[in-house]
Amino acid sequence: MTDWLPSLITATPAEGYDLAVRLARMTVKMTQADPEVRERLRVQYAQDPDALIAISQAVATHFAAVAAANGYWRPS
Amino acid sequence: MTDWLPSLITATPAEGYDLAVRLARMTVKMTQADPEVRERLRVQYAQDPDALIAISQAVATHFAAVAAANGYWRPS
Amino acid sequence: MTDWLPSLITATPAEGYDLAVRLARMTVKMTQADPEVRERLRVQYAQDPDALIAISQAVATHFAAVAAANGYWRPS
Amino acid sequence: MTDWLPSLITATPAEGYDLAVRLARMTVKMTQADPEVRERLRVQYAQDPDALIAISQAVATHFAAVAAANGYWRPS
Amino acid sequence: MTDWLPSLITATPAEGYDLAVRLARMTVKMTQADPEVRERLRVQYAQDPDALIAISQAVATHFAAVAAANGYWRPS
Amino acid sequence: MTDWLPSLITATPAEGYDLAVRLARMTVKMTQADPEVRERLRVQYAQDPDALIAISQAVATHFAAVAAANGYWRPS
């Protein structure tokens, strides 16, 4: 697998958030390698409030780490 | 998408909390892009104690990061 | 809304804990604005061990941030 | 209520863990004030693996904060 | 109870992980003191993916604190 | 058991993420030692959106610790 995660450093918080979403999704990809199964499950959880909220929680945990990595993008 | 997240820095803790709520909601928006579906789900989870508490948990995780980003808004 | 969250700084850990409880509840209030619905749900979750434990988790996450904001109320 | 939480500082990690357990339980007490209801629920969740694990998670979050407050009880 | 938790300092990350597992289990022990009940529940949750994952989450939270306590076992 | 966890230090964020996945899985292995049972459960949870999301959450918590251990792989 090419280096899908070369760095945690991003130019902006919005890019940091996108990275956090990718980080959250990568575990699903590593655990369920079949893209067809993942797409079938996606249709399910995209309609399930509890699942959507749980995804938001996983992204929040990753975003906290990415934000810390970037010094919270504080203007130096 | 315009830069929906230019900064984590806010003037006050209350604004920081609002940002944490937006951060928690953005993942739902990115995962379920259809506003009609989101509104239908909203009616569901707004009546479900477990979902409301889980949202509170995701906001808490984001708020911790936003608070750290703002030096906890400690009077300098 | 008046500034419901002027500061994270509290005089004591007990006040910090109360603030963490308020922080956890505010998301519920922002997500379900109807006080009657909230009171009906409160009766439900106050009898549900899983919900009570999940609330404890959300408060714990907020309390960790409030404690850090207050330098853990360490005697200076 | 007397100051149930005068400090986060404890002499040992074991006392810090006890404090984390008290911190996790206090939210339940504040949310469900009736000791008889709490005891009835206790009998329920003390037999429920999911509930026991969720309590462990809430205590873990509090313990992380208490440990940080005490400088991880590192020998100075 | 003898001091079951004299220190968070461990020689290696592997020992730190073992400590995190013990920390996660201790709450269950403190909440359900009957070893026979715990063993009966163990047989249940050891076959339940959701429970196993939730245990992993509680251990992860403890491990993060233990790792911080040990300076992440970085070679000095 | 040979030292399965000699260090938290990794060369790249991608390796750090792999380590976080291993850290999350090790608790399952320690709790359910039977590889056949684990494989049977794997087939189950790899098709279950809620389980996949919960795994992502546990990995996120571990990844945050591994990232902090590695100074977020910031270019020195």
Side-chain angles (χ1 to χ4, degrees):
Chain A
M1 210 160 49
T2 59
D3 190 350
W4 68 279
L5 188 59
S7 170
L8 298 188
I9 306 309
T10 69
T12 67
E15 286 176 31
Y17 193 93
D18 292 340
L19 175 57
V21 172
R22 280 204 310 279
L23 287 167
R25 288 181 179 161
M26 182 52 85
T27 293
V28 176
K29 198 171 173 181
M30 284 181 169
T31 311
Q32 175 51 268
D34 183 332
E36 281 175 32
V37 172
R38 288 203 307 270
E39 188 46 36
R40 177 166 51 78
L41 299 181
R42 222 186 84 74
V43 172
Q44 261 183 52
Y45 66 69
Q47 304 269 349
D48 172 1
D50 294 338
L52 289 167
I53 297 165
I55 293 168
S56 176
Q57 173 62 44
V59 170
T61 303
H62 277 302
F63 185 66
V66 172
N70 285 275
Y72 301 103
W73 302 282
R74 290 192 193 110
S76 44
Chain B
M1 209 160 48
T2 60
D3 190 350
W4 67 279
L5 188 58
S7 170
L8 299 187
I9 306 309
T10 68
T12 68
E15 285 175 32
Y17 193 93
D18 291 340
L19 175 57
V21 171
R22 280 204 310 278
L23 287 167
R25 287 181 178 161
M26 182 52 83
T27 293
V28 176
K29 199 171 173 180
M30 286 181 168
T31 310
Q32 174 51 269
D34 183 332
E36 280 176 31
V37 173
R38 288 202 307 269
E39 188 45 38
R40 177 166 50 78
L41 298 182
R42 222 186 86 75
V43 172
Q44 258 184 57
Y45 66 69
Q47 303 269 348
D48 172 1
D50 294 338
L52 289 167
I53 297 164
I55 294 168
S56 177
Q57 173 62 44
V59 170
T61 304
H62 277 303
F63 184 67
V66 172
N70 285 275
Y72 301 103
W73 302 282
R74 290 191 193 111
S76 46
Chain C
M1 209 159 51
T2 59
D3 190 350
W4 68 279
L5 187 58
S7 170
L8 298 188
I9 307 308
T10 69
T12 68
E15 286 176 31
Y17 194 93
D18 291 340
L19 175 56
V21 172
R22 281 204 308 279
L23 287 166
R25 287 181 179 161
M26 182 51 84
T27 293
V28 176
K29 199 171 172 180
M30 286 180 168
T31 310
Q32 174 50 269
D34 183 331
E36 280 175 32
V37 172
R38 287 203 306 270
E39 188 45 37
R40 178 166 49 80
L41 297 182
R42 223 185 85 75
V43 171
Q44 257 184 57
Y45 66 69
Q47 303 269 347
D48 173 3
D50 293 339
L52 289 167
I53 297 164
I55 294 168
S56 177
Q57 174 61 45
V59 170
T61 303
H62 277 303
F63 184 67
V66 172
N70 285 275
Y72 300 103
W73 302 282
R74 289 190 194 114
S76 45
Chain D
M1 208 160 48
T2 59
D3 190 351
W4 68 279
L5 187 59
S7 171
L8 298 187
I9 307 307
T10 68
T12 68
E15 286 175 31
Y17 194 94
D18 291 340
L19 175 56
V21 172
R22 280 204 309 279
L23 288 167
R25 287 181 179 162
M26 182 51 86
T27 293
V28 176
K29 200 171 172 181
M30 286 179 167
T31 310
Q32 175 50 269
D34 183 330
E36 279 176 32
V37 172
R38 287 204 307 271
E39 188 44 39
R40 178 165 50 78
L41 298 182
R42 224 186 84 77
V43 171
Q44 259 184 57
Y45 66 68
Q47 302 270 347
D48 172 2
D50 294 339
L52 289 167
I53 297 164
I55 294 168
S56 177
Q57 174 61 43
V59 170
T61 303
H62 277 302
F63 184 67
V66 172
N70 285 275
Y72 301 104
W73 302 282
R74 289 192 194 111
S76 45
Chain E
M1 207 160 51
T2 59
D3 190 351
W4 67 279
L5 187 59
S7 170
L8 299 187
I9 307 308
T10 68
T12 67
E15 286 176 30
Y17 194 93
D18 291 340
L19 175 56
V21 172
R22 280 205 308 281
L23 288 167
R25 287 180 179 163
M26 182 52 86
T27 294
V28 176
K29 199 171 171 181
M30 286 180 168
T31 311
Q32 175 50 268
D34 183 331
E36 279 176 32
V37 172
R38 288 203 307 270
E39 188 46 37
R40 178 165 50 78
L41 298 182
R42 225 185 82 75
V43 172
Q44 260 183 54
Y45 66 68
Q47 302 270 348
D48 173 2
D50 294 339
L52 289 167
I53 297 163
I55 293 168
S56 176
Q57 174 61 45
V59 170
T61 303
H62 277 302
F63 185 66
V66 172
N70 285 273
Y72 300 103
W73 302 281
R74 289 192 194 111
S76 44
Chain F
M1 210 160 49
T2 59
D3 190 350
W4 67 279
L5 187 59
S7 169
L8 299 187
I9 306 308
T10 68
T12 68
E15 285 176 31
Y17 194 93
D18 291 340
L19 176 56
V21 172
R22 280 205 309 279
L23 287 167
R25 287 180 179 162
M26 182 51 87
T27 294
V28 176
K29 199 171 171 180
M30 285 180 169
T31 310
Q32 175 50 269
D34 183 332
E36 280 176 33
V37 172
R38 288 204 305 270
E39 187 46 37
R40 177 165 50 79
L41 299 182
R42 223 185 83 74
V43 171
Q44 260 184 52
Y45 66 69
Q47 303 270 348
D48 173 3
D50 294 338
L52 288 167
I53 297 164
I55 293 167
S56 176
Q57 174 61 44
V59 170
T61 303
H62 278 302
F63 185 66
V66 172
N70 284 274
Y72 301 103
W73 303 281
R74 290 191 193 111
S76 44

